[in-house]
Amino acid sequence: MEKLTHFNEEGRAQMVDVSGKPETVRTAIAQSSIEVNNTIYEHISQNKVKKGDVLAVAQVAGIMAAKKTWDIIPMCHPIPLKGINFSFEWQDGKADHKQLIISASVKTVGNTGVEMEALTAVSAAALTVYDMCKAIDKGMVIGPTFLIEKTGGVSSKDYRR
């Protein structure tokens, strides 16, 4: 079993020292989803939600969250992100429901990866959709949320789900 790097010799939490790692291009793609009823789907699709353009606000929330990941995830490093991109896609869900698939890709040049930033981005976007639509229906379901791809770095291999 590999050693967990976020624990020191005493078994206490530590922020990993990445200063010795080389800077490389690093990318990550994450995905989440939110299942909504047809009424919410129609309101979002026709831009009729009273709080505004749901997908535009969710995208901005996701970008802002990615940039602040280090503020909310204790052992994450502050990373200067070079790019963040979002995509939203509707799919049929269970009866009378639609699934909004939320994907984010994050890129940096640095000495640690951006997986947590991508995961935080899609999570915040899904939560924003919930927040903006909860007045219509509180039965929305978020998830699953997962990493699709990670590239870059020297100490760990690229990953593709």
Side-chain angles (χ1 to χ4, degrees):
M1 187 161 103
E2 290 189 37
K3 181 182 179 229
L4 297 174
T5 57
H6 282 83
F7 294 100
N8 66 17
E9 300 77 30
E10 298 171 355
R12 300 182 61 79
Q14 72 172 355
M15 186 178 198
V16 175
D17 180 358
V18 297
S19 61
K21 290 182 169 185
E23 288 195 350
T24 61
V25 174
R26 299 176 181 250
T27 66
I29 302 170
Q31 180 177 302
S32 190
S33 62
I34 184 166
E35 184 179 80
V36 303
N37 65 27
N38 281 338
T39 302
I40 291 175
Y41 165 72
E42 289 168 9
H43 276 72
I44 292 172
S45 297
Q46 298 168 14
N47 202 17
K48 291 183 177 179
V49 175
K50 290 182 181 180
K51 290 186 175 185
D53 184 335
V54 173
L55 299 185
V57 175
Q59 182 169 345
V60 171
I63 291 169
M64 291 173 65
K67 292 173 18 177
K68 299 297 263 175
T69 299
W70 61 275
D71 257 348
I72 58 174
I73 307 293
M75 301 305 163
C76 284
H77 295 84
I79 299 174
L81 301 179
K82 305 300 182 190
I84 305 169
N85 192 25
F86 266 84
S87 69
F88 298 96
E89 178 188 339
W90 288 105
Q91 294 181 355
D92 289 332
K94 296 180 211 167
D96 299 327
H97 285 77
K98 295 284 187 182
Q99 192 87 7
L100 178 62
I101 307 300
I102 305 165
S103 299
S105 61
V106 179
K107 183 177 184 178
T108 194
V109 176
N111 49 11
T112 190
V114 289
E115 300 96 271
M116 293 308 299
E117 287 71 14
L119 289 162
T120 301
V122 295
S123 297
L127 288 167
T128 300
V129 172
Y130 188 99
D131 177 57
M132 293 185 73
C133 298
K134 68 182 184 276
I136 301 167
D137 177 47
K138 292 176 180 51
M140 295 169 278
V141 177
I142 295 174
T145 301
F146 54 92
L147 183 68
I148 294 176
E149 180 179 289
K150 167 254 187 241
T151 67
V154 177
S155 62
S156 66
K157 297 177 184 176
D158 289 353
Y159 169 82
R160 177 90 180 139
R161 185 177 184 87

